Amino acid sequence: MQTTLPFRIVMLILGCLFAGLGVAFYMVAEMGIAPYDSVALILQKWAKGKIPFHFARIATDVVCVLTGVIFCLVSGDSVWMIVGIGTIINAFFNGPLIQFFRTHVTEPLLHGRPQEQITFDIMQEKKKK
C-alpha cells in the first residue's frame, strides 16, 4: 500500500504525541524510570535546577542523535540512513511534550494536582514514601 505524504505527516505527529504522553504516564506512575529517561533528571539535579527538564531532555536527545551520526559517518554510511525528519523532530520536541503532558494531563489525572516541573529530587522523595 502506498502512503501519501500528508498521511505520513499525521502519523509522525501522532507518534510524537503518543510517545511523549506514554513517557509522562510511566514517570508519574512511579513504576521506575528507564535509564535513558533518568539522564535528563540527573542532569537537572547536577545543574541544581538551573536547567529545566525539557531543556535537559532536548540536550540528551540531541547528543544521542549526534553520537549516531558520528558512528554512521565513521562507518562510511550515509547519515540519512539513520537520521530523518522524525528523528530530528523527536529530538527537539520530546522533552517539551513530556513536560507538557506531565504538567497538564498525567499529574492531574493520576494525583489530582498539577506539578510544575519534573525534578530529580521530587522523584527521590516519592520513592521514600
Side-chain angles (χ1 to χ4, degrees):
M1 179 176 129
Q2 194 75 313
T3 57
T4 64
L5 184 60
F7 177 75
R8 292 173 70 176
I9 291 170
V10 168
M11 290 299 109
L12 173 62
I13 292 168
L14 286 175
C16 289
L17 290 173
F18 280 118
L21 182 62
V23 172
F25 264 116
Y26 92 77
M27 288 178 95
V28 172
E30 300 174 23
M31 297 173 58
I33 297 176
Y36 179 75
D37 295 322
S38 298
V39 173
L41 292 171
I42 293 167
L43 183 60
Q44 182 183 25
K45 181 181 181 185
W46 176 76
K48 296 180 175 41
K50 293 178 183 168
I51 301 174
F53 172 80
H54 56 283
F55 290 134
R57 181 62 189 239
I58 290 170
T60 59
D61 289 347
V62 169
V63 166
C64 287
V65 171
L66 290 176
T67 302
V69 166
I70 290 168
F71 280 110
C72 190
L73 292 174
V74 168
S75 72
D77 289 330
S78 169
V79 172
W80 303 114
M81 287 181 62
I82 62 164
V83 176
I85 190 70
T87 304
I88 295 167
I89 288 171
N90 197 40
F92 285 99
F93 292 104
N94 202 27
L97 282 172
I98 293 168
Q99 184 65 45
F100 173 81
F101 284 129
R102 186 159 197 267
T103 302
H104 299 289
V105 178
T106 59
E107 278 290 334
L109 187 63
L110 295 177
H111 297 295
R113 59 174 163 47
Q115 186 171 326
E116 283 302 310
Q117 198 176 52
I118 300 171
T119 64
F120 184 81
D121 295 331
I122 290 172
M123 298 305 290
Q124 294 301 316
E125 288 173 15
K126 288 182 177 182
K127 285 183 182 179
K128 290 178 184 176
K129 291 181 183 179

